[in-house]
């Protein structure tokens, strides 16, 4: 099980890199939008997976590999926190606060949507 979690985490991290790079390439801004897209999609998918789990669908091991492994490797609140701190350090305090608050609200909304889509 540990090996599967590690492999899924690695795949999630690789997916995060690909999605972040694609977003940055298409939306070159001075605000880290790619990380926000990654975290919002991770929250939507984890909410959907949690709803699916609450309905008793699928084996527990699959939920762990997808939720803890893949989505754990895919999402990145530590990077988001560092990016907000970097905005603060370069004197963009307002952008840092807006970025952090908007990402948190969007992530919460995405998790609720995911739960609503698949929950009991």
């Amino acid at each position: 099980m540990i090996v599967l979690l590690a492999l899924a985490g690695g795949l999630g991290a690789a997916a995060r890199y690909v999605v972040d790079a694609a977003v940055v390439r298409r939306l070159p801004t001075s605000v880290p939008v790619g990380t926000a897209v990654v975290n919002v999609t991770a929250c939507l998918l984890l909410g959907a997976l949690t709803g699916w789990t609450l309905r008793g669908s699928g084996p527990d091991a699959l939920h762990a590999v997808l939720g803890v492994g893949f989505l754990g490797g895919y999402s990145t609140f530590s990077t988001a926190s560092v990016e907000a701190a970097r905005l603060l350090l370069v004197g963009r305090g307002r952008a840092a606060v807006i970025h952090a608050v908007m990402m948190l609200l969007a992530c919460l909304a995405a998790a609720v949507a995911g739960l609503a889509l698949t929950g009991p």
Side-chain angles (χ1 to χ4, degrees):
M1 183 65 168
I2 295 291
V3 172
L4 286 176
L5 286 171
L7 289 173
L11 288 173
R16 175 178 74 201
Y17 176 79
V18 168
V19 169
D20 183 48
V23 170
V24 168
R25 204 173 26 252
R26 290 173 199 240
L27 297 170
T29 68
S30 61
V31 178
V33 178
T35 304
V37 169
V38 165
N39 284 334
V40 170
T41 56
C43 289
L44 175 68
L45 293 172
L46 189 56
L49 179 65
T50 301
W52 187 55
T53 302
L54 291 173
R55 287 184 17 201
S57 303
D60 289 342
L62 179 61
H63 299 159
V65 168
L66 291 176
V68 176
F70 183 79
L71 292 173
Y74 179 68
S75 64
T76 178
F77 276 92
S78 58
T79 299
S81 299
V82 169
E83 288 172 342
R86 288 177 54 199
L87 288 171
L88 274 173
L89 292 174
V90 297
R92 300 188 60 204
R94 183 176 175 173
V97 170
I98 290 171
H99 173 68
V101 170
M102 292 304 292
M103 186 168 52
L104 176 62
L105 293 176
C107 286
L108 287 171
V112 168
L115 277 166
L117 288 172
T118 61

